[in-house]
Amino acid sequence: TFTGLGPAEIKNVEASIPEPLREAWREHKYFVRHVETTLARSLYNCDELAAYSGTALAFRDRLIIEWNKTQQRQTFTDQKRVYYLSLEFLMGRTLDNAMLNVGLKDVARDGLSDLGFRIEDVINQEHDAALGNGGLGRLAACFLDSMATLNYPAWGYGLRYRYGIFKQEIVNGYQVEIPDYWLDNNPWEFPRHEITVDIQFYGNVKKYQDENGRISNSWEDGEIVQAIAYDVPIPGYGTKTTNNLRLWSSKASSGEFDFQKFNAGDYESAVADQQRAETISAVLYPNDNLERGKELRLKQQYFWCAASLFDIVRRFKKTKRAWAEFPDQVAIQLNDTHPTLAIVELQRILIDKEGLEWDEAWNIVTKTFGYTNHTVLPEALEKWSVPLMQNLLPRHLQIIYEVNLFFLQSVEKRFPNDRDILSRVSIIEESHPKMVRMAYLAIIGSHKVNGVAELHSDLLKSTLFKDFVKIYGPDRFTNVTNGITPRRWLHQANPRLSALIAEKLGGYDFLKDLTLLDKVEAFVDDKAFREEWAVIKRENKLRLARHIKATTGFDVNPNALFDVQVKRIHEYKRQQLNIFGVIHRYLSIKAMSAEEKKKVVPRVSIFGGKAAPGYWMAKTIIHLINNVADVVNKDPEVGDLLKVIFIADYNVSKAEIICPASDISEHISTAGTEGSGTSNMKFVLNGGLIIGTCDGANIEITREIGEQNIFLFGNLAEDVEDLRHRHFYGDFKLDPQLERVFDAIKDNVFGDKADFSALTSSIEEHGDYYLVSDDFNSYITTHEMVDEAFQNQEEWLAKSITSVARMGFFSMDRVTNEYADSIWNVEPLDVTD
Ligand code: CGF
């Protein structure tokens, strides 16, 4: 029934590709060459995996040619570059994105189809590159897409983990973690064996007098590990700019293994060095918003910062400019505090290696760095024990102490009568053991600090970093509300919606300027448009229903209201509130007469997300969701009125199926706890409505799309402290509806109550830190409003269309331009040839 113009018919990136090139792709020239030569297969024994590899290699060739030209162009113009340092890049799949960005997906589809392949099946062969936990890593990936699209000369720097985030399986309702061998069959990286950096650990610091009579420090001995560069080309959408993501892999510097030990029969220790070195880049720490202070993690951080800084400095030195010009050529953005050691490393390079004076070096350092904070959660704020750092990075600890000394001296001068402020803002926390507060170091070593949504940035200034606002003034602190790339999260994930919009707007320009979406609002009353919009949503729901059937075995009714909460499982994100709400719904349906049941709006409650392997409470929540699903889905009294689904192993490529299929999605964190959230944006951009608290970017989403188009509930951030106090002093009564839910759990309706007692008692007896009980009533009432609203499909549709039309603000391109203007001071590089 879909009548929207296909991508080939309207003005789009594909139309700009010259016909001979399109023809060559249509004739599968590049594809066949790779299948026959690189893969050594013939077209007659080419399965889907080989078809994927052949297609990916053909596209890779194209990317790498543009990548080379981009690097040459950027070197030649010698303009300021951005370096985005992130310990996580949650890229997802590359092929589909590459085909769309270079504008050759339609011909690739035709070519593959001639050979008997469906492009979707070929795309599905790819492993997700899951080098991240959640929002922070995905934000970094969106940055890369946007910086390339906008032609910013930019590099990403990260770690090439051998294992990305674990794969999640659900066994008997429990999360089980399985290693993720994502590097098998990964054609997207280029090993640069010629680009290696020796990274030092441990050892000691010696003072010596240099040739100018100056006392200098030298870091000596210890252990050397080699960093090897792997490059991943990042194509922009509809531009020739193809930027670079450089990932570092660790290797023993002493070669393969110790032959002498090997020959002497000491096999194990012969490979021990090698293994120890390779461990550094072996695994991504699977914690989101939680820091544990493990030595290996600190090693990872330094390894990656030191290799990246070496690379950046080397590139700068080739320009033969004076050191004072470094900040005019280099902007380094710290994605959270994980790369804070880069600040110290640059200072060390400048004073110990390049012989600059302390003040001159520090001036360069602070002008170079910007720091993004993503959370106010105390458990996520990084601190490293001083003894650990002393052992692993002795010279860096000295520098940190010196930075701290100069900083505290300046604070003392400005606030001579405030002795407490010194201990409050000191980089060193006077605990046992002493700790290095990385966020403070990041603030002191950067010229700009930003939060990721308005409320979050305000909270930073009024709570966590209050003293620093007093010291530096408010200008050092700013807000840049997060965004998402519309290329992946609309065009790629929801091609039919993208095509429908393009048809109305006369082209795909909105993918480069998302504010153009506002023109969609003019069609809100257009009958044919509305019908098509509804058809597309239904198709997307059917696609998800097929996925659910294939992965869980459950049938879900596509006419039901699809209610989705997919994100990391965390108490502050409150999946427990959601599942308690589901239980409440279940109990209510069970208590209804046949007549009453007829009025119920059928629901499918869909959950997905990983728990950190050591986060027991989050795992308990997953267990409860799965047990509830087991009971509810098999209950004949309930039938289609309620289904509960847990989608295992939620990742980027699953998000691309899930986001376009929601009717409503849940963003229900305790007010004041979510930095921004970005899945809220993805769902709204795909025409789903949201239920949420006044938290993170929900607030700006409300401002943009209008209060009438969002379901807000719950206590406000400003009330949270007071409510927690009340709990603390016993001034608390469990919400009666929640009590009914807990009674059912305690009656073993959802399996052994003992499995869930910690969860229920955290609310009933231990202070309900996340205010589940306080928000329960308004949560339930708001869901009733959702049901009611869903019954009026015409109005629902109008809300959906209006909301999408008003989402222009949340483009990652707006975000990137704001960083470029207010933090990096970097210009795009014109690419007109
Ligand atoms: O970063 C987060 C995410 N969990 O990774 N934080 N961290 N750390 C925040 O919690 C999100 O609210 C935010 O959207 C995301 C990206 O800034």
Side-chain angles (χ1 to χ4, degrees), residues 416-693:
N417 302 320
D418 188 354
R419 293 232 51 92
D420 283 354
I421 197 172
L422 297 182
S423 62
R424 287 204 305 269
V425 299
S426 170
I427 298 172
I428 306 297
E429 183 180 271
E430 296 297 326
S431 44
H432 299 286
K434 290 182 182 175
M435 304 293 274
V436 182
R437 296 157 158 165
M438 301 308 270
Y440 292 5
L441 179 55
I443 297 173
I444 295 164
S446 303
H447 65 286
K448 276 277 180 215
V449 177
N450 76 286
V452 289
E454 272 170 24
L455 173 69
H456 169 62
S457 299
D458 287 347
L459 285 173
L460 283 180
K461 285 197 274 183
S462 59
T463 60
L464 223 51
F465 300 155
K466 194 163 100 189
D467 287 319
F468 290 92
V469 175
K470 224 163 109 182
I471 294 165
Y472 290 118
D475 285 356
R476 182 169 298 215
F477 299 87
T478 184
N479 172 60
V480 187
T481 300
N482 280 346
I484 54 173
T485 166
R487 272 75 65 179
R488 183 177 290 263
W489 295 113
L490 176 56
H491 193 46
Q492 182 181 324
N494 203 342
R496 290 187 60 174
L497 191 66
S498 183
L500 175 63
I501 294 171
E503 183 197 332
K504 290 295 171 204
L505 303 191
Y508 282 92
D509 290 352
F510 65 95
L511 293 175
K512 283 202 143 203
D513 175 3
L514 204 63
T515 61
L516 295 174
L517 278 184
D518 63 1
K519 300 203 170 59
V520 168
E521 209 162 336
F523 300 95
V524 71
D525 295 322
D526 177 327
K527 195 160 168 286
F529 180 77
R530 290 167 68 98
E531 271 173 24
E532 226 149 69
W533 193 276
V535 167
I536 291 168
K537 177 59 80 180
R538 198 183 149 76
E539 284 290 319
N540 288 331
K541 287 173 76 174
L542 280 167
R543 179 168 67 150
L544 179 58
R546 284 195 295 275
H547 178 81
I548 289 172
K549 176 72 180 170
T551 52
T552 69
F554 289 120
D555 286 301
V556 294
N557 172 8
N559 297 323
L561 190 161
F562 279 21
D563 169 352
V564 183
Q565 189 178 16
V566 283
K567 46 185 89 222
R568 287 301 288 252
I569 311 290
H570 207 299
E571 285 165 280
Y572 87 85
K573 293 181 188 278
R574 298 202 296 190
Q575 284 90 355
Q576 70 276 38
L577 173 61
N578 187 345
I579 194 64
F580 294 151
V582 170
I583 296 175
H584 175 268
R585 180 173 287 262
Y586 173 66
L587 298 175
S588 307
I589 294 172
K590 295 274 283 181
M592 282 176 187
S593 66
E595 260 328 285
E596 285 170 322
K597 278 186 188 171
K598 285 188 189 149
K599 294 188 199 131
V600 172
V601 178
R603 274 236 184 180
V604 183
S605 281
I606 299 164
F607 295 82
K610 295 175 183 177
Y615 189 176
W616 182 62
M617 195 65 101
K619 288 182 142 177
T620 302
I621 295 171
I622 293 181
H623 185 197
L624 179 60
I625 296 169
N626 281 293
N627 279 15
V628 171
D630 210 42
V631 172
V632 171
N633 297 351
K634 289 180 188 149
D635 191 334
E637 274 180 26
V638 173
D640 259 3
L641 297 185
L642 182 61
K643 285 274 178 286
V644 183
I645 302 294
F646 189 91
I647 296 182
D649 200 37
Y650 174 62
N651 59 14
V652 172
S653 51
K654 288 191 182 168
E656 289 165 20
I657 301 172
I658 296 169
C659 291
S662 86
D663 292 305
I664 193 113
S665 63
E666 310 229 1
H667 309 276
I668 56 177
S669 47
T670 312
T673 59
E674 187 72 272
S676 157
T678 41
S679 74
N680 40 9
M681 303 166 193
K682 291 166 199 164
F683 281 103
V684 181
L685 188 60
N686 281 282
L689 306 190
I690 63 178
I691 174 166
T693 43

Side-chain angles (χ1 to χ4, degrees), residues 40 84 183 468 537 822:
Y84 195 78
L183 283 172
F468 290 92
K537 177 59 80 180
S822 67

Side-chain angles (χ1 to χ4, degrees), residues 778-789:
S778 77
Y779 180 65
I780 296 298
T781 318
T782 310
H783 265 300
E784 286 164 5
M785 289 159 64
V786 171
D787 285 328
E788 206 183 309

Side-chain angles (χ1 to χ4, degrees), residues 356-416:
L356 270 66
E357 294 299 328
W358 178 277
D359 286 348
E360 189 191 357
W362 188 244
N363 190 29
I364 292 169
V365 168
T366 52
K367 281 184 179 161
T368 300
F369 287 96
Y371 154 52
T372 305
N373 173 288
H374 295 266
T375 183
V376 293
L377 297 184
E379 65 269 33
L381 294 178
E382 262 192 311
K383 289 176 191 172
W384 291 108
S385 106
V386 166
L388 179 66
M389 208 177 264
Q390 168 72 56
N391 186 37
L392 191 69
L393 302 167
R395 178 63 185 136
H396 293 77
L397 188 66
Q398 279 183 350
I399 294 175
I400 291 171
Y401 267 108
E402 236 158 305
V403 169
N404 199 35
L405 176 72
F406 295 138
F407 169 66
L408 291 181
Q409 281 172 349
S410 71
V411 174
E412 198 174 20
K413 233 189 238 165
R414 285 205 39 213
F415 304 97

Side-chain angles (χ1 to χ4, degrees), residues 774-827:
D774 301 85
D775 281 349
F776 197 67
N777 187 275
S778 77
Y779 180 65
I780 296 298
T781 318
T782 310
H783 265 300
E784 286 164 5
M785 289 159 64
V786 171
D787 285 328
E788 206 183 309
F790 193 68
Q791 281 173 309
N792 186 343
Q793 273 296 302
E794 286 306 310
E795 249 180 55
W796 187 278
L797 208 53
K799 285 181 195 291
S800 162
I801 297 169
T802 315
S803 302
V804 172
R806 298 178 182 176
M807 282 298 286
F809 178 76
F810 298 97
S811 169
M812 195 66 200
D813 299 343
R814 186 265 309 157
V815 179
T816 302
N817 282 328
E818 279 186 27
Y819 274 79
D821 288 349
S822 67
I823 301 175
W824 305 331
N825 194 20
V826 175
E827 296 287 332

